């Protein structure tokens, strides 16, 4: 006589049957999804892999390129330290021509520094004037170039030319605003406008952005004036 299943066994059987039906339905859904979207899934996976590989390849290429540029710049500095100024200029010029990153901007600034070390002020001024005209030049480095250019021209250049050069630094109240004011104060002394000079030195002396050395220098000038 066949044994009648217990309630528990019946429940287990029903659960197993339901699970089997669920699996069949899931498989059928997956099959329909694959039939409908299989090509897109393949393309997506392929594109994802290609993108990842491309990104790593580009990153490796950029890292290698940056290392080469850095080595080239270091070689130029080495030549400068050895007193081989013409060779240093050639290396820096090649870097400026071939590269459009911040290294090219640094190379231009360094070229001006080498000219100054050679006491070729006119050549240094030409480089700095060229930097001042470049719209895409690194902003902070361009400000430094303007300050250097203004200081070199302070003795003989027209006052309006120097004011026009430095006014953006003063009006923007950037990190070099007090340096620009100090040069403008010296310009005011040159132009015998002591009232303006005192006003500029007073601003520097109380500026929280000015270094202690700069504030003391401004106070000393105020005492002299």
């Amino acid at each position: 006589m066949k044994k009648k299943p217990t309630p528990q066994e019946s429940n287990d059987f029903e659960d197993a049957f339901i699970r089997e039906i669920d699996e069949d339905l899931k498989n059928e859904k997956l099959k329909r999804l694959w039939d409908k979207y299989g090509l897109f899934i393949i393309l997506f996976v392929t594109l994802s892999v290609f993108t990842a590989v491309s990104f790593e390849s580009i990153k490796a290429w950029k890292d290698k390129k940056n290392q080469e540029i850095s080595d080239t710049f270091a070689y130029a500095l080495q030549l400068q330290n050895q007193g081989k100024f013409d060779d240093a200029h050639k290396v820096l010029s090649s870097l400026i021509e071939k590269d459009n990153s911040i290294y090219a901007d640094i190379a231009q600034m360094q070229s001006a520094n080498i000219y100054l070390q050679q006491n070729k002020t006119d050549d240094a001024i030409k480089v700095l004037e060229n930097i001042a005209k470049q719209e895409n030049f690194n902003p902070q480095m361009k400000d430094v170039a303007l300050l250097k250019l203004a200081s070199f021209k302070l003795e003989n250049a027209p006052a309006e030319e120097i004011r026009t050069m430095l006014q953006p630094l003063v009006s923007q109240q950037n990190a070099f605003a007090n340096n620009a004011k100090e040069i403008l104060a010296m310009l005011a002394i040159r132009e015998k406008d002591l009232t303006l000079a005192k006003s500029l030195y007073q601003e520097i002396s109380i500026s929280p952005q000015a270094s202690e050395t700069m504030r003391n220098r401004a106070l000393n000038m105020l005492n002299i004036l």
Side-chain angles (χ1 to χ4, degrees):
M1 181 177 176
K2 195 171 183 180
K3 183 181 177 182
K4 184 179 181 181
T6 65
Q8 182 61 44
E9 290 175 334
S10 297
N11 290 337
D12 291 343
F13 175 78
E14 290 174 4
D15 290 342
F17 182 70
I18 291 172
R19 282 198 301 271
E20 185 175 348
I21 293 175
D22 285 342
E23 288 298 323
D24 289 342
L25 289 173
K26 287 178 182 178
N27 290 334
E28 183 63 29
K29 287 180 181 178
L30 286 173
K31 185 176 183 304
R32 288 200 301 270
L33 285 171
W34 180 260
D35 291 340
K36 188 174 183 179
Y37 301 109
L39 179 61
F40 295 103
I41 293 171
I42 293 171
L43 288 174
F44 176 77
V45 172
T46 303
L47 181 61
S48 298
V49 173
F50 175 76
T51 301
V53 172
S54 298
F55 175 79
E56 291 300 326
S57 300
I58 292 172
K59 184 176 182 297
W61 175 79
K62 288 184 70 175
D63 289 344
K64 181 180 178 182
K65 182 183 177 184
N66 288 337
Q67 185 60 52
E68 290 174 352
I69 294 170
S70 178
D71 291 343
T72 302
F73 184 75
Y75 179 57
L77 294 182
Q78 182 181 351
L79 291 171
Q80 179 186 354
N81 293 333
Q82 294 172 352
K84 300 176 181 179
F85 300 123
D86 291 342
D87 291 336
H89 279 303
K90 289 178 182 178
V91 174
L92 291 173
S93 295
S94 68
L95 189 57
I96 294 167
E97 292 171 3
K98 295 179 182 178
D99 190 64
N100 60 356
S101 70
I102 191 171
Y103 278 104
D105 296 347
I106 296 173
Q108 293 183 65
M109 291 289 290
Q110 192 60 28
S111 182
N113 291 336
I114 294 175
Y115 279 129
L116 291 174
Q117 189 175 345
Q118 294 177 274
N119 293 319
K120 296 181 178 180
T121 306
D122 290 341
D123 290 326
I125 287 176
K126 288 179 182 178
V127 174
L128 294 172
E129 286 177 334
N130 182 51
I131 290 172
K133 296 175 183 177
Q134 297 178 43
E135 295 182 0
N136 296 327
F137 203 87
N138 178 271
Q140 289 75 26
M141 294 177 63
K142 189 173 185 178
D143 289 345
V144 173
L146 288 172
L147 289 170
K148 283 190 172 186
L149 186 59
S151 64
F152 293 143
K153 289 192 168 190
L154 183 60
E155 186 175 354
N156 300 313
E160 192 56 36
E161 178 184 347
I162 296 176
R163 291 192 193 101
T164 301
M165 195 184 305
L166 296 178
Q167 192 55 45
L169 277 69
V170 175
S171 60
Q172 292 169 12
Q173 285 297 316
N174 65 13
F176 300 108
N178 287 307
N179 301 83
K181 288 179 181 179
E182 192 169 26
I183 296 175
L184 290 173
M186 288 186 278
L187 176 66
I189 293 173
R190 190 196 84 177
E191 296 296 300
K192 298 180 175 57
D193 189 347
L194 300 186
T195 301
L196 176 58
K198 289 178 182 178
S199 175
L200 289 167
Y201 281 126
Q202 180 63 32
E203 290 179 17
I204 296 171
S205 69
I206 61 175
S207 172
Q209 283 75 39
S211 65
E212 184 177 356
T213 301
M214 184 180 288
R215 288 198 299 270
N216 289 335
R217 192 161 60 236
L219 289 171
N220 288 335
M221 290 303 298
L222 285 170
N223 290 331
I224 294 171
L225 294 174

